[in-house]
Amino acid sequence: MSSVNPEHVFTLLDRALRALRDDMGVRMEQASVDELRSSQRRLLSMVPDEGIRVTDLANEAGMTAQSLGEFARELERLGLVEFGRDANDGRVRLISLTPRGRRIEREGDAVIRAMEADWRARLGADDWDRMCAVLARIADGA
Protein backbone atom coordinates (compact mmCIF):
# COMPACT_ATOMS: atom_id res chain seq x y z
CA MET A 1 0.00 0.00 0.00
CA SER A 2 1.33 3.39 -1.00
CA SER A 3 1.28 6.28 1.44
CA VAL A 4 1.00 8.77 -1.42
CA ASN A 5 -2.25 10.72 -1.57
CA PRO A 6 -4.07 9.64 -4.75
CA GLU A 7 -5.51 13.11 -5.30
CA HIS A 8 -3.98 15.10 -8.13
CA VAL A 9 -2.46 18.48 -7.36
CA PHE A 10 -5.35 20.19 -9.14
CA THR A 11 -7.85 18.53 -6.82
CA LEU A 12 -5.85 19.54 -3.76
CA LEU A 13 -5.45 23.13 -5.00
CA ASP A 14 -9.16 23.31 -5.80
CA ARG A 15 -10.15 22.02 -2.37
CA ALA A 16 -7.72 24.38 -0.63
CA LEU A 17 -8.96 27.34 -2.66
CA ARG A 18 -12.56 26.47 -1.85
CA ALA A 19 -11.76 26.30 1.88
CA LEU A 20 -10.04 29.68 1.76
CA ARG A 21 -12.79 31.27 -0.36
CA ASP A 22 -15.52 29.89 1.91
CA ASP A 23 -13.72 31.30 4.94
CA MET A 24 -13.21 34.62 3.18
CA GLY A 25 -16.88 34.77 2.20
CA VAL A 26 -17.99 34.32 5.80
CA ARG A 27 -15.51 36.94 6.98
CA MET A 28 -16.55 39.43 4.28
CA GLU A 29 -20.18 38.95 5.22
CA GLN A 30 -19.39 39.46 8.92
CA ALA A 31 -17.45 42.62 8.07
CA SER A 32 -20.34 43.85 5.87
CA VAL A 33 -18.11 44.05 2.79
CA ASP A 34 -19.62 41.11 0.92
CA GLU A 35 -21.43 43.06 -1.78
CA LEU A 36 -18.87 42.17 -4.46
CA ARG A 37 -17.89 38.95 -6.16
CA SER A 38 -14.29 37.86 -5.59
CA SER A 39 -13.48 38.64 -9.24
CA GLN A 40 -14.72 42.21 -8.76
CA ARG A 41 -12.76 42.57 -5.54
CA ARG A 42 -9.64 41.23 -7.27
CA LEU A 43 -9.95 43.79 -10.05
CA LEU A 44 -10.33 46.63 -7.53
CA SER A 45 -7.15 45.47 -5.80
CA MET A 46 -5.24 45.70 -9.08
CA VAL A 47 -5.99 49.40 -9.69
CA PRO A 48 -3.19 51.63 -8.38
CA ASP A 49 -3.91 55.00 -6.78
CA GLU A 50 -2.83 56.87 -9.93
CA GLY A 51 -5.10 54.75 -12.14
CA ILE A 52 -4.12 52.32 -14.86
CA ARG A 53 -4.58 52.02 -18.61
CA VAL A 54 -7.44 49.77 -19.60
CA THR A 55 -5.14 47.66 -21.78
CA ASP A 56 -2.53 47.31 -19.01
CA LEU A 57 -5.15 46.24 -16.48
CA ALA A 58 -6.59 43.77 -19.00
CA ASN A 59 -3.14 42.24 -19.51
CA GLU A 60 -2.51 42.04 -15.77
CA ALA A 61 -5.93 40.45 -15.21
CA GLY A 62 -5.52 38.02 -18.12
CA MET A 63 -8.52 39.42 -19.98
CA THR A 64 -9.10 41.05 -23.32
CA ALA A 65 -9.45 44.84 -23.23
CA GLN A 66 -13.04 44.46 -24.45
CA SER A 67 -13.96 41.99 -21.70
CA LEU A 68 -12.28 44.10 -19.07
CA GLY A 69 -14.13 47.18 -20.33
CA GLU A 70 -17.47 45.43 -19.88
CA PHE A 71 -16.45 44.19 -16.45
CA ALA A 72 -15.25 47.66 -15.43
CA ARG A 73 -18.47 49.29 -16.65
CA GLU A 74 -20.34 47.19 -14.07
CA LEU A 75 -17.96 48.47 -11.39
CA GLU A 76 -18.52 51.99 -12.70
CA ARG A 77 -22.28 51.48 -12.43
CA LEU A 78 -21.72 50.47 -8.79
CA GLY A 79 -19.77 53.69 -8.21
CA LEU A 80 -16.46 51.92 -7.56
CA VAL A 81 -14.38 52.95 -10.57
CA GLU A 82 -14.36 55.80 -13.03
CA PHE A 83 -12.95 56.18 -16.50
CA GLY A 84 -10.79 59.11 -17.44
CA ARG A 85 -8.12 60.15 -19.90
CA ASP A 86 -4.36 60.02 -19.44
CA ALA A 87 -3.03 63.58 -18.96
CA ASN A 88 0.00 62.72 -21.13
CA ASP A 89 -2.00 61.12 -23.94
CA GLY A 90 -5.66 62.02 -24.24
CA ARG A 91 -6.32 58.98 -26.44
CA VAL A 92 -5.55 56.62 -23.57
CA ARG A 93 -8.37 55.58 -21.23
CA LEU A 94 -7.54 55.15 -17.57
CA ILE A 95 -9.47 53.34 -14.86
CA SER A 96 -9.29 54.80 -11.36
CA LEU A 97 -10.98 53.90 -8.13
CA THR A 98 -13.55 56.28 -6.76
CA PRO A 99 -13.28 57.17 -3.07
CA ARG A 100 -15.96 54.54 -2.38
CA GLY A 101 -14.05 51.97 -4.46
CA ARG A 102 -10.82 52.71 -2.59
CA ARG A 103 -12.62 52.37 0.78
CA ILE A 104 -14.18 49.04 -0.20
CA GLU A 105 -10.85 47.79 -1.56
CA ARG A 106 -9.09 48.71 1.72
CA GLU A 107 -11.81 47.08 3.84
CA GLY A 108 -11.65 43.89 1.79
CA ASP A 109 -7.85 43.85 1.97
CA ALA A 110 -8.00 44.14 5.77
CA VAL A 111 -10.35 41.14 5.94
CA ILE A 112 -8.06 39.10 3.68
CA ARG A 113 -5.00 39.98 5.75
CA ALA A 114 -6.76 38.96 8.96
CA MET A 115 -7.85 35.68 7.36
CA GLU A 116 -4.30 34.99 6.19
CA ALA A 117 -2.95 35.67 9.69
CA ASP A 118 -5.47 33.23 11.15
CA TRP A 119 -4.60 30.53 8.61
CA ARG A 120 -0.89 31.15 9.21
CA ALA A 121 -1.45 30.59 12.93
CA ARG A 122 -3.61 27.52 12.27
CA LEU A 123 -1.11 25.84 9.92
CA GLY A 124 2.03 27.13 11.57
CA ALA A 125 4.16 29.98 10.30
CA ASP A 126 6.76 27.76 8.62
CA ASP A 127 4.22 25.73 6.65
CA TRP A 128 2.20 28.83 5.66
CA ASP A 129 5.30 30.73 4.54
CA ARG A 130 6.62 27.69 2.63
CA MET A 131 3.24 27.21 0.93
CA CYS A 132 3.12 30.87 -0.11
CA ALA A 133 6.68 30.69 -1.44
CA VAL A 134 5.93 27.55 -3.46
CA LEU A 135 2.72 29.02 -4.87
CA ALA A 136 4.61 32.18 -5.87
CA ARG A 137 7.21 30.06 -7.67
CA ILE A 138 4.49 28.15 -9.50
CA ALA A 139 2.74 31.40 -10.44
CA ASP A 140 6.05 32.74 -11.80
CA GLY A 141 6.49 29.63 -13.94
CA ALA A 142 9.35 28.07 -11.98
Side-chain angles (χ1 to χ4, degrees), residues 84-142:
R85 295 287 174 191
D86 187 328
N88 298 322
D89 185 347
R91 299 170 297 171
V92 175
R93 288 180 48 199
L94 293 177
I95 296 176
S96 300
L97 296 181
T98 63
R100 179 173 182 259
R102 181 65 59 206
R103 178 183 53 78
I104 287 175
E105 190 277 327
R106 278 193 315 265
E107 290 170 355
D109 185 63
V111 171
I112 291 169
R113 288 184 187 282
M115 183 199 75
E116 288 177 340
D118 289 347
W119 277 93
R120 188 172 192 262
R122 191 182 311 178
L123 297 176
D126 289 344
D127 283 349
W128 179 263
D129 293 346
R130 190 175 309 111
M131 178 193 69
C132 289
V134 169
L135 290 173
R137 286 180 56 208
I138 292 170
D140 290 342

Side-chain angles (χ1 to χ4, degrees), residues 16-101:
L17 186 57
R18 286 173 192 254
L20 292 169
R21 281 190 174 152
D22 289 349
D23 187 15
M24 188 175 74
V26 169
R27 290 168 186 262
M28 290 290 186
E29 187 174 321
Q30 290 171 343
S32 299
V33 291
D34 66 332
E35 63 194 73
L36 299 178
R37 296 187 312 267
S38 61
S39 57
Q40 292 172 316
R41 188 172 308 289
R42 179 176 170 263
L43 192 68
L44 288 181
S45 74
M46 297 170 76
V47 178
D49 290 339
E50 67 275 7
I52 188 170
R53 292 171 174 235
V54 172
T55 53
D56 291 342
L57 183 57
N59 287 335
E60 196 171 319
M63 301 172 73
T64 66
Q66 181 179 358
S67 294
L68 180 102
E70 292 173 19
F71 196 84
R73 276 192 285 286
E74 174 64 17
L75 293 174
E76 181 184 39
R77 188 187 69 70
L78 295 170
L80 303 174
V81 300
E82 57 192 2
F83 290 94
R85 295 287 174 191
D86 187 328
N88 298 322
D89 185 347
R91 299 170 297 171
V92 175
R93 288 180 48 199
L94 293 177
I95 296 176
S96 300
L97 296 181
T98 63
R100 179 173 182 259

